[in-house]
Amino acid sequence: MSYTEAEIASQPDCWRRAIALARDPEGPVRGALPRAGERVAVVGCGTSWFIAQSYAALREASGQGETDAFAASEMPVGRSYDRVVALSRSGTTTEVLDLLGALRGTVPTTVITAVPGSPAVAAADAAVVLEFADEESVVQTRWATTELALLRAHLGDPLDGLEAEGKAALAEPLPGELVTAGQFTFLGRGWSYGVALEAALKMREAAGAWTEAYPVKEYRHGPISVTGPGSVVWWLGEGPSGLADEEVTGPGGRLAGHGRDPLAELVVVQRLAVAIAAARGLDPDRPRNLTRSVILP
């Protein structure tokens, strides 16, 4: 079993631990994460940027305050916020460290990371360390979903049944026609759009697949043009998508997605990415041209 496969399989347990941490009234999360009413910016790079987008959408939808998400390299440092939250698995990403340095003394900052004692922990005013969710693989799987489970629990999402849904997503067989598909379009709405972006990234990183991601109602505004035999349109969300099945199947595509929690759905995508990588003779633990952390000179 590859590191990536083992880390994918460990996610339900990691979610349970993160949810308990977020709910602990005496734990480190309570004082480090934003309070209701604060104006917040959330930043990250790659996967962490997509998780930041999901959290920002969730926080605003829950009425807890205006929340913006930025790639760490693109945040406008002159804009006024009550807190900036930086997401970084390694705590060594250059763009995140540069931003935390630029913000020092001007706005409270919090980093969520997997590595205690990392440079980001030293650069931020507060830290939440999820060491149990760290990974050997370059490709992020359990780290991404665990930090989002933590943030959702902190916002008050009950997350009833999430662990069970994750275990079911690990146990179900992967349809063979998905393994042999040539193109994937991932769709989300609200906070699940960030998850759709992450799903597309996982398939590109681990399997070198042709993937795209859009808000679900944007599918009709161009992306539908690539749908055809050998393509999959994958809905990551709970409840009706607003997209008619025939808008996918009519051009010859396959519609995927089971209406379960988007984090559990992402587990299936991660498993599929590993299966496609194996079919193509690729190593998901060592994707082409990628490293665990981007550290610039």
Side-chain angles (χ1 to χ4, degrees):
M1 180 180 289
S2 67
Y3 288 130
T4 305
E5 289 173 290
E7 288 157 3
I8 289 170
S10 70
Q11 287 176 105
D13 180 62
C14 288
W15 299 346
R16 177 177 49 77
R17 294 177 66 177
I19 292 166
L21 184 64
R23 292 174 176 169
D24 182 357
E26 305 300 325
V29 172
R30 291 291 178 178
L33 293 184
R35 296 185 297 271
E38 288 185 331
R39 187 167 188 255
V40 173
V42 197
V43 302
C45 299
T47 285
S48 291
W49 178 31
F50 301 147
I51 300 304
Q53 291 179 56
S54 286
Y55 173 57
L58 279 164
R59 189 170 184 270
E60 286 216 2
S62 70
Q64 296 201 30
E66 183 177 341
T67 314
D68 296 324
F70 299 101
S73 60
E74 298 298 319
M75 179 184 161
V77 295
R79 191 174 294 180
S80 176
Y81 291 101
D82 298 310
R83 179 169 294 275
V84 174
V85 178
L87 311 179
S88 175
R89 178 181 65 175
S90 68
T92 60
T93 306
T94 297
E95 295 96 317
V96 171
L97 294 177
D98 287 348
L99 178 61
L100 289 172
L103 295 174
R104 182 177 290 277
T106 65
V107 58
T109 57
T110 294
V111 65
I112 303 177
T113 184
V115 182
S118 63
V121 171
D125 298 311
V128 176
V129 180
L130 305 178
E131 193 171 3
F132 60 86
D134 201 359
E135 296 159 326
E136 293 285 345
S137 177
V138 169
V139 174
Q140 297 186 29
T141 55
R142 75 180 179 194
W143 167 252
T145 60
T146 299
E147 66 178 340
L148 188 50
L150 174 99
L151 291 165
R152 290 174 66 186
H154 182 257
L155 291 172
D157 189 332
L159 300 178
D160 294 336
L162 178 61
E163 184 179 356
E165 285 194 59
K167 290 178 178 179
L170 288 166
E172 69 179 39
L174 294 172
E177 56 267 34
L178 294 183
V179 178
T180 58
Q183 187 273 333
F184 294 85
T185 300
F186 294 97
L187 304 176
R189 182 178 59 205
W191 74 274
S192 70
Y193 172 51
V195 181
L197 289 166
E198 170 60 9
L201 181 64
K202 284 292 89 64
M203 294 286 284
R204 286 195 297 271
E205 288 179 330
W210 172 17
T211 66
E212 302 178 358
Y214 303 93
V216 64
K217 291 192 176 181
E218 286 297 306
Y219 173 73
R220 303 177 183 91
H221 298 274
I224 192 173
S225 65
V226 302
T227 301
S231 66
V232 175
V233 177
W234 202 313
W235 159 243
L236 291 105
E238 301 166 278
S241 68
L243 187 68
D245 289 2
E246 56 267 25
E247 292 180 89
V248 174
T249 59
R254 175 184 172 87
L255 185 65
H258 297 80
R260 58 188 147 205
D261 189 284
L263 287 188
E265 196 70 33
L266 182 56
V267 170
V268 181
V269 177
Q270 295 166 347
R271 292 178 57 220
L272 180 63
V274 171
I276 293 174
R280 296 180 176 182
L282 301 175
D283 183 353
D285 287 343
R286 298 171 181 83
R288 293 174 296 188
N289 308 318
L290 293 178
T291 58
R292 172 177 162 84
S293 175
V294 176
I295 301 174
L296 303 176

